[in-house]
Amino acid sequence: MVQRGVAEWARALGLIPSGLYAMTSAFEGERSAVLVSWVQQCSFEPPMVAVASPKGRPIAPLIRDSHSFGLCQFRRDDQFLLRTLSREDSDPREVLDPIRCETLTTGSPCITRATAVLDCEMMRHIDLDGDHELYIGLVIGGKVYDEEANPTSCVLASGMIE
């Protein structure tokens, strides 16, 4: 069924996979997080990810100054994380206070109730002519917290799909 009033390009764009992630960072005792949904692996060797984050979020200076960020994937039905991270009335420096986190290598907070996390060193920041900015991160660590979570497919470094 074709949706009336929706451009064909918009329908096609909507088919690109997305998920729910918290992008986190910390610097000199301050930490914060922002919800992001556009994340993509962009290199095998070395392993890198591209993350689109809404412009003007308070996390941007923390990422800039620490040169790092965490990427925490969580389930769409995790209402606690969704509510806590999307509250616009909370202080961005306190958004992670009710959430249990640990750090891996960079010092970026890793949410322990996430399905999995990646710990990234920021390699590039690209200010796009749009409402989002792009961060390219070198994956230097990671952890799977939910062993039950299975990806629909796994792209290997060889380019083969498992």
Side-chain angles (χ1 to χ4, degrees):
M1 181 170 141
V2 176
Q3 296 174 331
R4 294 190 184 273
V6 177
E8 193 72 18
W9 66 264
R11 291 182 41 232
L13 193 58
L15 295 175
I16 295 175
S18 64
L20 285 176
Y21 301 84
M23 187 178 195
T24 63
S25 193
F27 185 71
E28 292 186 349
E30 284 191 38
R31 62 188 194 151
S32 192
V34 63
L35 286 175
V36 295
S37 56
W38 298 318
V39 173
Q40 182 64 52
Q41 181 177 351
C42 61
S43 175
F44 286 124
E45 191 55 45
M48 291 191 204
V49 292
V51 182
S53 175
K55 281 187 178 180
R57 297 300 167 99
I59 195 171
L62 297 177
I63 296 170
R64 179 196 65 222
D65 295 341
S66 69
H67 303 283
S68 63
F69 60 87
L71 195 56
C72 310
Q73 184 175 20
F74 61 97
R75 295 183 184 278
R76 292 182 186 273
D77 62 354
D78 190 329
Q79 292 302 309
F80 171 74
L81 285 180
L82 190 56
R83 263 193 323 271
T84 303
L85 295 170
S86 63
R87 287 189 53 196
E88 293 186 20
D89 63 337
S90 63
D91 184 333
R93 295 168 301 194
E94 298 173 355
V95 70
L96 288 171
D97 287 355
I99 301 171
R100 201 170 108 222
C101 297
E102 68 174 340
T103 57
L104 298 180
T105 304
T106 69
S108 294
C110 294
I111 298 172
T112 59
R113 73 181 285 146
T115 302
V117 298
L118 295 173
D119 196 15
C120 302
E121 178 184 329
M122 185 186 62
M123 300 304 289
R124 297 281 185 278
H125 170 248
I126 303 163
D127 188 7
L128 303 171
D129 289 334
D131 59 358
H132 280 65
E133 51 196 339
L134 192 62
Y135 293 92
I136 307 297
L138 172 66
V139 178
I140 60 171
K143 194 170 187 179
V144 174
Y145 291 109
D146 184 352
E147 293 294 337
E148 302 286 314
N150 290 320
T152 54
S153 65
C154 180
V155 179
L156 306 173
S158 64
M160 300 298 294
I161 297 176
E162 188 176 75

